Amino acid sequence: MEKPEEATGRGAVRLFHNSLSVQLFPRFSCRLPGRVALLIVRAADHESRIRRHNFPSRCSQLPTVNFPNVRYTSLHMNSITTLDDLWMGRPRSIAAGLLESDGHRAVIDPGPGSTLDTLRQQLQARGIGVGDLDAILLTHIHLDHAGATGALVRENPRLAVYVHSKGAPHVIDPSKLLASAQRLWPNDLQLLFGEVLPVPAENLRILEGGENLTLGSRKLEVVYTPGHASHHVSYFDKGEGVAFVGDTAGVRIEGNSFVMPATPPPDIDLGIWDTSFAAILERKPARLFLTHFGYSENPSEHIVLFRERLHRWAALTAEILRTAASDSAAIDSFMSAAYAEISQYLPAGEADHYAFSANLNLSFLGLARYLRKRATAAS
């Protein structure tokens, strides 16, 4: 007989194949009911029970059956779940994606270390522990997306971590990443992002773009999508029509239609960002999954609006750099203009939430760095 499939996952249900009636009871020519037995396996305590049906009297002398050798059919959940990390106590700021397929569980962008307890609680509410996860898929290594990864691997050393090759060295040794972040958040780094632990090299699965991943029965295409960061990839679920695009498509808080850029330093590049937009649209996803925050249901319209605002904010930054008396005045001018634009489309509470999620001051710094680098290269 075939090697039995293992019943895994809390509440996983296995049904015997109808065709096993003859295999299990070859000495009897009677036709047994299709539902010979129902085996319910609880992974938490590995207890099982068998409920037998009454068989015809001519089949009363059935031989003993060694049920562990029986082949089962799996009825596993195949789903995508949005996990709200409640960053800084704010709902709809950072979304992690939980992918479940045939007993395989992966998280896309688990979030910062400061929200690790919330992530655990979100998983536990679905009957899942960190030890039940098989993989972490990182779109990129910025702390609000990937900061919790090392702590998760310490808790579950068998986790595979998928990351682009340009980000991998900083996942193995996050010291340079943390030093850069410390300059941006000199007083609040620990509060915002918590502990950032290294990931052992043996846990990494290095991506370049072009790979096809199989997670259970789920197929994911990996596409290199730089622009927001040089180490950014996106994951395309071909079956579900969902593109997990990290920050490549900016910020759009679920429930609103407004789309805005997030352009932190150090490696914003609008030229190659345009090629990433094309790569996303080529695949015609039905929905975009955004880390900030949730689903966008019209990818083409979303990306057109986002691209227009991205280039407009770059032009705004260039004009401010040309006319501002100082760097601090330039930041103030940009933030005032950007917030005024956001407020045209959103009520005050939502406008504040967008500004918080995108870090408007960092958006200016990233665009300014990009424009200055480009000017230097042209001179």
Side-chain angles (χ1 to χ4, degrees):
M1 297 182 68
E2 295 181 14
K3 183 179 179 180
E5 298 174 9
E6 188 78 13
T8 61
R10 184 170 299 149
V13 177
R14 311 291 197 180
L15 297 177
F16 292 142
H17 283 285
N18 290 350
S19 60
L20 287 179
S21 300
V22 177
Q23 298 175 35
L24 288 172
F25 311 111
R27 291 169 47 200
F28 297 85
S29 60
C30 60
R31 182 178 179 83
L32 297 178
R35 294 190 302 274
V36 175
L38 174 64
L39 179 63
I40 302 174
V41 178
R42 298 184 178 90
D45 55 11
H46 302 285
E47 293 178 354
S48 64
R49 61 185 176 84
I50 299 172
R51 182 172 59 228
R52 299 185 181 277
H53 292 263
N54 292 323
F55 303 137
S57 59
R58 63 181 180 275
C59 299
S60 58
Q61 298 181 3
L62 293 176
T64 301
V65 178
N66 184 9
F67 282 105
N69 292 328
V70 175
R71 177 172 169 261
Y72 305 108
T73 297
S74 302
L75 299 180
H76 277 296
M77 182 180 296
N78 192 359
S79 65
I80 301 171
T81 305
T82 303
L83 306 178
D84 191 337
D85 281 344
L86 300 174
W87 187 39
M88 300 300 292
R90 289 175 175 255
R92 300 179 304 135
S93 293
I94 295 178
L98 171 65
L99 308 184
E100 297 180 82
S101 180
D102 291 341
H104 190 288
R105 301 179 180 92
V107 171
I108 295 182
D109 287 354
S114 58
T115 64
L116 186 56
D117 285 343
T118 301
L119 179 65
R120 288 194 192 99
Q121 292 167 12
Q122 292 270 5
L123 292 170
Q124 289 168 2
R126 290 156 181 83
I128 299 168
V130 172
D132 297 318
L133 299 176
D134 301 289
I136 300 294
L137 284 68
L138 300 178
T139 61
H140 61 301
I141 64 168
H142 289 168
L143 297 181
D144 56 332
H145 294 252
T149 304
L152 291 169
V153 172
R154 182 175 63 178
E155 191 169 339
N156 177 0
R158 69 181 184 84
L159 271 174
V161 176
Y162 292 82
V163 62
H164 189 266
S165 60
K166 291 184 178 180
H170 304 290
V171 176
I172 296 171
D173 179 4
S175 58
K176 290 184 179 179
L177 181 65
L178 290 171
S180 177
Q182 187 69 52
R183 290 191 291 271
L184 297 174
W185 294 281
N187 302 315
D188 300 318
L189 183 63
Q190 181 67 27
L191 175 66
L192 290 169
F193 302 111
E195 187 178 28
V196 180
L197 298 178
V199 176
E202 57 267 26
N203 289 81
L204 297 188
R205 306 294 181 267
I206 306 301
L207 303 172
E208 299 292 348
E211 297 85 359
N212 288 283
L213 309 181
T214 299
L215 307 176
S217 62
R218 190 184 303 278
K219 308 295 183 184
L220 296 177
E221 179 187 5
V222 182
V223 179
Y224 184 43
T225 52
H228 174 84
S230 62
H231 43 79
H232 201 300
V233 297
S234 296
Y235 301 92
F236 291 80
D237 187 317
K238 301 176 182 181
E240 299 285 345
V242 177
F244 298 89
V245 294
D247 284 342
T248 303
V251 174
R252 179 186 181 276
I253 307 298
E254 201 167 61
N256 299 297
S257 60
F258 185 75
V259 185
M260 65 178 280
T263 55
D267 52 359
I268 298 302
D269 189 315
L270 272 62
I272 61 174
W273 209 331
D274 283 342
T275 66
S276 296
F277 296 146
I280 293 170
L281 293 176
E282 279 175 15
R283 286 157 177 81
K284 297 180 171 60
R287 296 193 290 174
L288 305 177
F289 185 95
L290 311 174
T291 302
H292 315 287
F293 174 97
Y295 286 106
S296 181
E297 304 290 346
N298 190 332
S300 296
E301 180 184 62
H302 177 112
I303 287 176
V304 167
L305 292 173
F306 173 65
R307 184 184 182 279
E308 289 176 353
R309 185 159 286 115
L310 175 64
H311 284 270
R312 187 164 64 250
W313 281 20
L316 170 65
T317 302
E319 178 62 19
I320 290 173
L321 289 174
R322 189 181 67 82
T323 60
S326 65
D327 288 347
S328 60
I331 292 178
D332 289 343
S333 295
F334 176 86
M335 292 181 65
S336 295
Y339 188 82
E341 182 176 349
I342 298 169
S343 299
Q344 293 176 18
Y345 299 91
L346 297 167
E350 284 296 275
D352 290 343
H353 189 46
Y354 266 76
F356 168 80
S357 296
N359 284 290
L360 286 181
N361 61 324
L362 298 188
S363 288
F364 171 80
L365 292 174
L367 289 169
R369 177 182 172 89
Y370 162 71
L371 292 169
R372 286 166 173 155
K373 285 173 61 179
R374 193 173 65 166
T376 300
S379 62

